Amino acid sequence: EDGRAYYVMRYVKGETLEQQLQKCQHSSAELSFSKRMKLLDTLINACDTLAYAHSKGVIHRDLKPSNIISGKFGETIILDWGLAQALDDGDDDFFRTVQLHQAHTYSDNENIQGLGTPRYMAPEQLRGIASKAIDVYSLGVILFKLITGELPYKGDAQEIQNSLLDDQ
C-alpha cells in the first residue's frame, strides 16, 4: 500500500517428517519400525516432487526430514528452497534468467564451501560440487533413517564431515 516491497510465503500447516520420526522413537522397536514404514509414502511423494524439480534443472541442496512436511490434507511439500540452484540442463532461457538472479549468491555449481546440512550431505557436496546426485544421496540418507531409525553417520557436524570425506 505504501510502495515498499514485501515478501509473501505460503503458510503450510502440518508435521515435518522429522517431527513424525521423533514420535516413532517413543514406541517399542517393532512398533517404531512399523510407524516409520508408514512414512515411506511421504518420502516417495518427496521423491516425485524432487524428480519434477530435477526435470526443470533445479536442485534443492538441503533435503532433510525437517524440510519435508505432510500438509493438513495429506499433501507432501518440500520446504526451504533457500539453497536451491538451477543447473544448465538445456533450457537456455530458464537457465539464463536464473543465472542472472543468482549472480551474487553462493548458488553456483562449484563453490569453496559445501552448503547444506552435513548429516544429509553427499561427500561431493561437502567439497562444494552441486548436482542432481547430491539430492538423491540426501533422499537415500532419509530412507536409511526410515528403515533403521538412525543416521548412517554419528557424531557432531565436523565428525560427520570427516567421516564422509574419509570414505572417498
Side-chain angles (χ1 to χ4, degrees), residues 30-60:
E30 188 175 309
L31 185 56
S32 177
F33 178 76
S34 176
K35 287 179 178 181
R36 290 193 315 271
M37 291 303 94
K38 289 180 182 176
L39 298 174
L40 279 174
D41 286 337
T42 300
L43 182 60
I44 291 167
N45 290 338
C47 290
D48 290 340
T49 300
L50 192 63
Y52 177 77
H54 284 184
S55 76
K56 298 298 183 187
V58 176
I59 60 175
H60 188 278

Side-chain angles (χ1 to χ4, degrees), residues 147-159:
I147 293 169
T148 67
E150 300 179 2
L151 289 166
Y153 293 96
K154 302 206 184 320
D156 63 27
Q158 188 60 51
E159 291 169 330

Side-chain angles (χ1 to χ4, degrees), residues 108-154:
D108 54 1
N109 285 354
E110 297 184 30
N111 59 60
I112 57 170
Q113 72 183 77
L115 299 171
T117 303
R119 285 174 168 63
Y120 296 93
M121 287 173 69
E124 62 269 27
Q125 188 175 0
L126 284 167
R127 291 186 173 87
I129 307 299
S131 70
K132 293 174 184 177
I134 65 171
D135 283 347
V136 175
Y137 181 96
S138 298
L139 289 170
V141 173
I142 296 168
L143 177 61
F144 184 95
K145 187 169 182 177
L146 285 178
I147 293 169
T148 67
E150 300 179 2
L151 289 166
Y153 293 96
K154 302 206 184 320

Side-chain angles (χ1 to χ4, degrees), residues 14-24 35-36 38-44 46 64-71 76-77 79 120 139 142-143 145-146:
E15 283 189 310
T16 66
L17 186 56
E18 184 66 33
Q19 291 169 324
Q20 294 172 67
L21 282 166
Q22 286 174 359
K23 287 181 179 178
C24 294
K35 287 179 178 181
R36 290 193 315 271
K38 289 180 182 176
L39 298 174
L40 279 174
D41 286 337
T42 300
L43 182 60
I44 291 167
K64 56 190 173 186
S66 61
N67 284 341
I68 300 171
I69 193 168
S70 296
T76 299
I77 302 163
L79 305 172
Y120 296 93
L139 289 170
I142 296 168
L143 177 61
K145 187 169 182 177
L146 285 178

